[in-house]
Amino acid sequence: VLSKERERMSLNLRIIQNLLVVACFLMPLNSAGQDSVPEQRLLTVDDYAKFKSVGTPVFSEDGLWLAYTVETGDYEQNQSLTRIWMQPAQGGAPIALTAAAVSSWSPVFSKDGKKLYFLSARGEEKTQLWSLNLVAGGEAQRVTELERGVDQLNFSSDQGKLLLVLKDQDTSEPLVEGSNPWVIDRLDFKKDAAGTYLDRLRTHIYIYDLASKELTQITSGDFDDSDPAWSPDDSQVAFTSFRNPGDSYNSDIWLVDAKAGATPRRLTANPGADSSPLWHPDGEWLLFTSARGDIEPNYAVNHLARLNIDELEHQWFSLDLDRNAWSPEFSADGKYVYFRLEDSGEEHVARLGWSAPSFERVLDGKRVVSSFAPGADDQLAAVFSTSMKPGELHVLKNGEPSAITGVNTALVDQLNLGETKEIQFKAPDGWDIGGFVTLPPDYREGKRYPAILKIHGGPVGQYDVGFSFDSQLLAANGYVVIKTNPRGSSGYGQDFTLGLYQGWGEKDYQDVLAGVDRAIELGYADPDRLGMGGYSYGGILTNYLLGKTDRFKAAVSGAGSGHYLASYGHDIYRLWYETELGLPWENRELWESLSPFNHIHKATTPTMFYGGNKDWNVPIQGSEQLYQVMKRVGVETVLVVYPDEHHGGWSYANEKDSWLRRLAWYDRFLKD
């Protein structure tokens, strides 16, 4: 034992010595905390690309080191680059492990702590597996050269094999030279940002042997497989599969031997969606995410469930919490399950006892956790943000989080940010609703400010206490920002989410208006200078409000729907429409009553519509329809369409352009 301990200490000393040599040539990542305090200024649109994003942390096997990624935007090159960093888990100088000029991600320590594996796509190549020698140093070495690339780092227990999810290769030949049409025979045939219509090329699971370079396919068929997970002894692979594609949201957990030609068997019988299997260290149980089959799928709370692979009894694990549970991870000894818990405008790290019933919020409070990693002996590393601070990596010390990165500190110290306050109020029918108000940085009590109602997407989602560039930018431009979580939002329980069922617009528009009334009652908002806006479902509810109220002097609607019947078969929500609204030729009255198109002719609010011309999630067609009606009846309106943009992931230039146009639109109608 003493010999192994001395070997471990010697190894860590060599790693430190090697990395300190590198550190001499690098600017420390935590460059905040200088002697002089910078003069503060207001946030601007140009700051959008300056914020950095810290990725999921990873502990070394001995728990002494943390590896993580930092994503940095490059406005001039219209791209972001991701770099891997490493530092002592208890804090210390961060060391850059990969080059700044190329993106590298998904760090994984080798079992002996001597190497770091990661993914990178360099030049025109596909993403491949690379390794870096932490002891000897030197350049990273490419480990794989797979034609279809490596999609994820999913090692076997000895790190000698990888589980991959790869799409079938297209071996078809054109019927006529020079003609290559999309031939569609699937029920659901669109996916935003996929690049083409969906075909019969499916994703399946493969095993790649790093030593022999042999690639073995272990699943097949006319369906998609995903989320593969090795059993602790590497003999089996659990995975997620939709075996009834197009007919329901019911995915299941399957199990297959880790070899070619084996027949998979289905483990779950729950009529709801089961996915993302995770093996307990004993190799007898699987933990997975699960939704109740008796709840309309798009409104179902995401729970954790488990089953014994021999007994196959579905056991709900987090059902009593009545909150979304995300990203489960076992403690090293298997005694606890750690997970992200969404709750009333916050996201925490919680844990449940595996054998003995227990529940604990390990990291709670007014924060939003985006990722975390449990280590040995109750170690916990987590990336979280607050309303005034973007996400940074923290470690838990004596139950309290301590920041070990400060990638955004220097920028935030320059900024005069607005305070965010939580508000509570009642809807006209008595429902309790929550939300947030962000005040201008120069806010003075007793003065009323022009205010903008922001509406979140989803509709099953929530505004939270995390850092919001959108809110801070509007506040920096002199606006009170009102953000509400109306019925249908997540984070408040299953019944609250279901409150919007079959009532898009009708059941929640009064909730958001009640939030505006509360901001006026508190003395923040000027009732004569109100604006509103949102994106995706936020745009849809904005469109609905346009035909229901004349309280607003300006509106901005991004990627919103117009006539739902015209969207059927054109966007990606065919199944959602059918499960909630029924078939359009059988339940036409409900389809028509909820469509913003049938109310928009009554609108009086000057409105800017915008979106991407390649958006198949909520196509620009809906904005075009509503723009056409408002233009026809004489209401001031404008339509802005961004070429080659999908529902998200816009270029920096187009993102900046849309912000400048939105701010100018609000300023024109809400300011003197």
Side-chain angles (χ1 to χ4, degrees), residues 453-466:
L453 169 66
K454 288 283 291 179
I455 305 172
H456 70 63
V460 182
Q462 68 164 6
Y463 279 128
D464 55 44
V465 297

Side-chain angles (χ1 to χ4, degrees), residues 274-334:
D274 302 308
S275 62
S276 304
L278 182 68
W279 288 88
H280 186 273
D282 67 10
E284 298 177 1
W285 288 81
L286 280 168
L287 180 75
F288 50 94
T289 60
S290 187
R292 288 170 51 185
D294 60 336
I295 299 293
E296 210 287 336
N298 298 291
Y299 296 93
V301 169
N302 192 74
H303 298 292
L304 302 181
R306 63 182 179 181
L307 57 76
N308 184 288
I309 62 172
D310 293 323
E311 299 173 0
L312 302 186
E313 179 187 357
H314 186 285
Q315 299 179 11
W316 293 105
F317 198 56
S318 67
L319 187 66
D320 292 342
L321 298 178
D322 194 27
R323 293 293 187 272
N324 280 321
W326 313 109
S327 313
E329 294 285 350
F330 280 108
S331 60
D333 56 12

Side-chain angles (χ1 to χ4, degrees), residues 561-564 592 594-601 625-626 629:
S561 292
H563 197 287
Y564 293 145
E592 295 288 0
L594 299 182
S595 292
F597 180 85
N598 292 320
H599 309 278
I600 197 66
H601 62 282
Q625 291 172 334
L626 302 188
V629 174

Side-chain angles (χ1 to χ4, degrees), residues 34-77:
Q34 306 298 324
D35 294 335
S36 61
V37 178
E39 182 178 349
Q40 289 193 318
R41 60 176 177 81
L42 293 176
L43 184 75
T44 70
V45 175
D46 288 328
D47 290 316
Y48 176 77
K50 297 178 183 178
F51 285 98
K52 299 177 181 180
S53 177
V54 182
T56 303
V58 178
F59 277 103
S60 61
E61 287 290 312
D62 58 14
L64 297 179
W65 296 92
L66 275 169
Y68 55 92
T69 59
V70 176
E71 182 180 4
T72 303
D74 185 338
Y75 181 86
E76 296 301 327
Q77 297 298 319

